[in-house]
Amino acid sequence: MTENPLALQDMQFEVSYTPSKITIENEELLDRLIEQTTDHYNNQVFKFDEENVAEAKQAKADLNKIAKLIDDRRKEIKADYSQPLNIFEEKMKRYVERIKVVSDDINSGIKLFDESEKAVRLEKVKNEMVKIAEPLNIEPDTIEISTTWLNKSSFTTKGEVKGKILDEIHDKMKIVAMQRSQIAADKATITDYAEIAGLDPYAWSGLIDQGWSVADIREKIKQAVEDKRLKEQAELEAQQKKAEYEAAMEKMQREQALETDNGLVDPETGEIIIGNEPEPEKSQNVYFDDSPTMTVTLQLTGTQNQLSALNNYLIENGIEVVPVQ
């Protein structure tokens, strides 16, 4: 790079300006006029009703006109007074902008260089992470890369990662390795405990990944085992009660049944409770014979259970029934 022929002191420059003073002519008179105007309207008693509100509106309009007149004059004077300053500022800004254009171009190149150097440092950090992770039996990307590790100050003059950074990486990875080892041990404990309890070990050990402690999971397993025991006990009791009920009903039917040539028959429904011969399968309940077919018309009277049993008997024996109006 060639040296700038103009030194910084050569850029020093003087600016000539005369501070201006703004004076209001007849200011005392203006102040008295304002005072008289405000006193006049302050002493007015306005009635804010439908008939008199117009007077209040007119007073408001008159005061606003006076305020606008004064404010417009202020803006006019300010514009004239500020004009030389505005021109000066525009000139100086253009000079600064011309310098900044060149400075920004140089800065863009510096940023590109810094990014390329940072990328080189990133690769060096990643390589060191691979070396540290291997004996710990974990993946290098299990920890996040700190932005401070990529600073130039984190490297030696020879471009190697400093020892304190390597120690920091090792400590972070060691914590991850210890956590994984503890998780594996906890899962093994829960797996054994679940298998002994007769439960699915995979589902229960998976709770470790969700942040559950071994103690909490063991309590949950105990509760699940107890719930299962109570459920099985309730089902067994229900089966026993059902068996007792069916046995009692069968005993009662036997006691009330009529003994016939076909076996014990329910006196109400005519159903054979216990036949003298094994009951044929349902698919074989249709009787076939060679006797002539007959058609008879009957009027039957009986209980609903009796008529239902009779209907089942007719269906099972293939007897056609046609409703008669």
Side-chain angles (χ1 to χ4, degrees):
M1 181 188 75
T2 59
E3 186 177 351
N4 182 8
L6 296 177
L8 189 61
Q9 57 266 24
D10 296 328
M11 294 293 181
Q12 301 295 330
F13 57 93
E14 299 293 334
V15 177
S16 299
Y17 70 98
T18 302
S20 300
K21 180 181 180 181
I22 300 176
T23 303
I24 300 176
E25 302 293 341
N26 301 322
E27 184 175 0
E28 293 182 358
L29 175 60
L30 176 61
D31 184 72
R32 287 198 302 273
L33 291 174
I34 297 298
E35 186 70 23
Q36 291 174 4
T37 301
T38 55
D39 288 344
H40 171 75
Y41 285 99
N42 279 331
N43 293 327
Q44 297 294 314
V45 178
F46 296 102
K47 294 182 179 181
F48 299 98
D49 53 30
E50 187 176 354
E51 295 181 1
N52 302 289
V53 73
E55 294 180 0
K57 290 182 178 181
Q58 184 60 49
K60 171 189 171 184
D62 293 342
L63 289 170
N64 288 343
K65 288 179 182 178
I66 296 172
K68 184 176 184 305
L69 176 67
I70 297 172
D71 199 47
D72 287 347
R73 185 57 175 158
R74 176 191 65 79
K75 292 177 181 178
E76 181 182 349
I77 297 301
K78 180 181 178 181
D80 292 341
Y81 185 84
S82 301
Q83 185 176 5
L85 177 61
N86 293 336
I87 295 173
F88 170 76
E89 284 188 337
E90 288 298 323
K91 287 182 179 180
M92 301 310 292
K93 287 180 180 179
R94 285 196 295 271
Y95 292 143
V96 171
E97 184 63 27
R98 288 164 61 184
I99 298 296
K100 290 291 291 180
V101 168
V102 179
S103 175
D104 289 344
D105 288 342
I106 296 173
N107 187 54
S108 297
I110 293 173
K111 284 184 176 180
L112 290 175
F113 173 78
D114 288 343
E115 290 174 359
S116 64
E117 289 291 294
K118 193 173 184 180
V120 172
R121 292 194 290 269
L122 175 61
E123 287 304 314
K124 290 183 177 181
V125 169
K126 286 183 176 180
N127 291 335
E128 294 297 335
M129 291 174 67
V130 171
K131 297 177 184 177
I132 297 173
E134 185 175 358
L136 295 174
N137 196 28
I138 63 173
E139 298 78 17
D141 58 357
T142 52
I143 63 172
E144 292 185 3
I145 297 177
S146 173
T147 55
T148 58
W149 298 348
L150 305 181
N151 293 338
K152 188 176 181 180
S153 59
S154 299
F155 289 75
T156 65
T157 54
K158 294 182 178 181
E160 302 298 329
V161 182
K162 287 184 176 180
K164 66 176 184 179
I165 302 300
L166 297 177
D167 291 340
E168 185 176 343
I169 295 173
H170 181 271
D171 291 342
K172 288 181 177 292
M173 288 190 173
K174 187 176 181 181
I175 291 174
V176 173
M178 293 174 61
Q179 290 174 340
R180 288 190 175 183
S181 178
Q182 184 62 52
I183 289 174
D186 291 346
K187 283 187 174 182
T189 299
I190 294 302
T191 296
D192 292 342
Y193 196 76
E195 288 178 345
I196 293 173
L199 301 176
D200 177 18
Y202 180 79
W204 288 99
S205 63
L207 293 178
I208 294 293
D209 294 326
Q210 300 178 24
W212 286 63
S213 67
V214 172
D216 290 340
I217 298 175
R218 291 184 66 171
E219 288 300 319
K220 291 285 288 184
I221 290 177
K222 289 180 181 178
Q223 185 61 50
V225 170
E226 178 62 15
D227 292 343
K228 181 180 178 182
R229 185 189 67 81
L230 293 175
K231 180 180 179 181
E232 291 176 348
Q233 181 180 346
E235 291 176 351
L236 179 60
E237 291 176 354
Q239 291 175 359
Q240 291 175 345
K241 289 181 180 179
K242 181 180 179 182
E244 292 174 356
Y245 172 79
E246 291 176 349
M249 292 299 296
E250 183 179 352
K251 181 180 178 182
M252 183 180 68
Q253 289 177 342
R254 285 174 176 271
E255 293 174 350
Q256 297 178 354
L258 297 176
E259 187 172 354
T260 66
D261 293 339
N262 294 327
L264 296 179
V265 178
D266 188 319
E268 291 187 359
T269 65
E271 179 184 1
I272 299 175
I273 300 174
I274 300 179
N276 291 333
E277 297 180 358
E279 186 177 352
E281 295 181 2
K282 197 161 188 178
S283 59
Q284 300 175 350
N285 280 344
V286 178
Y287 292 94
F288 297 95
D289 57 39
D290 297 330
S291 60
T293 301
M294 300 177 61
T295 301
V296 296
T297 301
L298 301 174
Q299 180 175 340
L300 305 175
T301 302
T303 65
Q304 182 177 355
N305 290 336
Q306 291 173 328
L307 295 177
S308 176
L310 176 60
N311 183 63
N312 292 336
Y313 176 83
L314 296 174
I315 293 173
E316 291 174 357
N317 288 276
I319 301 175
E320 183 180 358
V321 178
V322 179
V324 177
Q325 301 294 334

